[in-house]
Amino acid sequence: MIFFFNRFYFFISIGSLFSVIVLVYVQDNIGRGWGYGISGGTMLVGVAVLLCGTPIYRFKKPRGSPLTVIWRVLILAWKKRTHPIPSQPTLLNGYLESKVPHTERLRFLDKAAILDENSSKNGSKENMWMVSTVTQVEEVKMVIKLLPIWSTCILFWTVYSQMNTFTIEQATFMNRKVGSAEIPAGSLSAFLIITILLFTSLNEKLIAPLARKLTDNVQGLTSLQRIGIGLVFSFVAMMVSAIVEKERRENAVKKHTNTSAFWLVPQFFLVGAGEAFAYVGQLEFFIREAPERMKSMSTGLFLATLSMGYFVSSLLVSIVDKVSQKKWLKSNLNKGRLDYFYWLLAALGILNFILFIVLARRHQYKVQHNIEPEDSVDKELVMANEVKIGVGGKEEA
């Protein structure tokens, strides 16, 4: 699975590299209309390829919204909050038919599967708004178990957003000339994407095989280990960013010289390397750890960390503006203290990483269960995932 995600993100990054090199040049030197036109044309090609592949796409029949199941379990657990939890889980509705073994965590949710007088009436057991099954309750528990790790992934994308905002702004105050040509500030993001391409390739060809030999882990690195490495890269990148910005500002203000924009390459490199680990690790983690019937929502959880990361970035900018009385972040970076903002992100990153370590050590990987596959492809996926990953990160058959 991890190799698929590596290749998946590799090809996404190739598209990003094309945009920051070719499209930025076209927009700056030919016209924005041409830039938008090329983007629209490539989208049309993408839609055509999608339509051509539709006849051979393997569709699965929808089984209802996972959000409905979650809300229903929460509402029923609240309605039955005064009911005592049965001493034996076998008394819960659908225990013997459960496709997910009952667990002792978050036991208050078990109340949603309690058979009271109303739900015990003829036909009421089949009414999902009267009583949930053990399978549904356990699936909701699994989703809730993902939320602590999910919350620690947000700050990585907050750091990543700086590469598209303040770092590009830094470049506009730096010397971007190579010979007689001047590199567009936006094109410096190419270093970020090239690093991502490099590390997604190294992950598959070098890092994973090496880690597999050192840890005796089939995966090489577990998904949580990948996320952790990405978080380390992110706060180190902010430390480097703060140091570079401090030197750039001092050179501009005191020495009246422009620092080379290539001093931004280290922070692009560190964030790009971190993204290669964090993106793939997060995607694999949420897909593997989500309930079998809620795989689509797991992708949504992952994408939500990206959007929340950018939202937190905007929120931090607003808070810093208010607290510093707009002395840190100014349009003219030479009059502000962007390096202080980077140090703030580095400190938050370290605290977030410590929290992540605590949560990751307590996390128990999902045990893959024998849910009856629908077809031969599903059978292959189940066979590939029928492993138990222990707390120490090793996989056992």
Side-chain angles (χ1 to χ4, degrees):
M1 185 181 292
I2 194 68
F3 298 117
F4 166 77
F5 293 139
N6 269 323
R7 294 186 181 96
F8 166 73
Y9 197 44
F10 182 87
F11 285 106
I12 287 179
S13 299
I14 288 177
S16 300
L17 185 62
F18 174 82
S19 68
V20 299
I21 294 178
V22 177
L23 290 185
V24 170
Y25 176 83
V26 169
Q27 290 178 342
D28 286 354
N29 296 277
I30 301 177
R32 291 193 174 274
W34 281 97
Y36 290 126
I38 294 173
S39 299
T42 54
M43 288 299 297
L44 288 176
V45 173
V47 171
V49 172
L50 174 65
L51 293 176
C52 290
T54 300
I56 59 174
Y57 184 78
R58 183 170 58 90
F59 289 96
K60 283 190 174 182
K61 294 181 180 179
R63 302 178 179 178
S65 170
L67 292 178
T68 303
V69 177
I70 293 172
W71 282 114
R72 187 164 56 230
V73 169
L74 293 176
I75 291 172
L76 287 174
W78 173 256
K79 285 183 176 179
K80 300 178 181 181
R81 62 188 182 278
T82 58
H83 291 46
I85 298 176
S87 56
Q88 296 296 326
T90 53
L91 300 175
L92 297 173
N93 183 41
Y95 177 84
L96 297 178
E97 298 83 15
S98 177
K99 296 179 179 179
V100 183
H102 177 265
T103 60
E104 294 297 319
R105 64 178 182 270
L106 300 174
R107 291 203 64 194
F108 67 93
L109 291 177
D110 288 346
K111 294 185 177 184
I114 291 177
L115 288 166
D116 55 14
E117 293 181 1
N118 293 326
S119 56
S120 297
K121 295 179 181 178
N122 292 335
S124 295
K125 290 176 65 175
E126 304 299 326
N127 186 344
M128 292 183 291
W129 285 101
M130 293 293 293
V131 61
S132 296
T133 63
V134 170
T135 297
Q136 293 167 344
V137 170
E138 289 302 321
E139 287 176 340
V140 174
K141 289 181 181 180
M142 291 164 68
V143 171
I144 293 176
K145 190 179 71 169
L146 298 179
L147 296 182
I149 297 294
W150 174 86
S151 65
T152 61
C153 294
I154 293 173
L155 197 64
F156 175 86
W157 299 107
T158 300
V159 169
Y160 176 82
S161 68
Q162 310 314 311
M163 300 299 104
N164 300 319
T165 52
F166 286 123
T167 302
I168 300 300
E169 185 70 13
Q170 281 178 276
T172 63
F173 286 82
M174 302 174 80
N175 181 10
R176 293 176 277 115
K177 288 187 176 181
V178 178
S180 59
E182 186 174 58
I183 302 174
S187 291
L188 288 172
S189 297
F191 291 106
L192 172 72
I193 300 165
I194 290 171
T195 304
I196 294 171
L197 292 171
L198 174 64
F199 272 85
T200 50
S201 300
L202 289 177
N203 272 337
E204 184 174 337
K205 301 297 183 181
L206 179 62
I207 298 174
L210 181 61
R212 196 176 295 121
K213 291 180 180 179
L214 294 175
T215 63
D216 293 328
N217 186 341
V218 176
Q219 287 180 290
L221 294 173
T222 65
S223 53
L224 286 178
Q225 288 170 341
R226 291 174 185 274
I227 295 172
I229 292 172
L231 293 178
V232 171
F233 273 116
S234 68
F235 68 72
V236 172
M238 288 297 95
M239 293 177 180
V240 172
S241 300
I243 294 170
V244 170
E245 171 58 16
K246 183 176 182 293
E247 291 298 318
R248 183 210 65 79
R249 183 178 179 277
E250 287 184 355
N251 288 338
V253 174
K254 296 180 180 179
K255 301 179 183 179
H256 304 287
T257 59
N258 288 333
T259 305
S260 172
F262 288 100
W263 280 103
L264 298 175
V265 172
Q267 61 205 63
F268 278 124
F269 176 85
L270 289 167
V271 172
E275 186 180 359
F277 284 100
Y279 187 103
V280 174
Q282 288 177 36
L283 190 57
E284 183 197 22
F285 175 77
F286 290 119
I287 288 179
R288 286 193 66 158
E289 294 300 293
E292 295 296 330
R293 294 164 183 79
M294 297 185 182
K295 294 295 185 184
S296 59
M297 195 185 76
S298 63
T299 308
L301 275 174
F302 163 67
L303 294 175
T305 62
L306 276 77
S307 58
M308 286 297 294
Y310 279 83
F311 174 78
V312 170
S313 177
S314 300
L315 181 62
L316 280 175
V317 169
S318 299
I319 293 173
V320 167
D321 263 348
K322 187 173 182 179
V323 173
S324 68
Q325 298 178 342
K326 297 188 176 181
K327 293 180 180 179
W328 285 15
L329 306 174
K330 294 185 176 183
S331 298
N332 187 343
L333 296 183
N334 294 335
K335 296 180 180 180
R337 294 310 303 257
L338 179 60
D339 54 323
Y340 291 171
F341 182 69
Y342 282 150
W343 281 119
L344 172 64
L345 286 175
L348 292 175
I350 293 173
L351 294 175
N352 182 68
F353 177 69
I354 294 172
L355 176 61
F356 170 80
I357 290 295
V358 172
L359 295 174
R361 289 178 65 86
R362 296 177 60 185
H363 180 81
Q364 292 182 339
Y365 281 93
K366 182 182 73 172
V367 178
Q368 304 295 330
H369 304 290
N370 296 325
I371 298 178
E372 190 65 27
E374 294 183 354
D375 52 39
S376 59
V377 179
D378 281 344
K379 290 179 180 178
E380 293 178 6
L381 291 174
V382 170
M383 290 175 65
N385 287 324
E386 280 186 344
V387 292
K388 177 179 179 181
I389 310 177
V391 179
K394 294 185 178 180
E395 293 189 353
E396 301 171 351

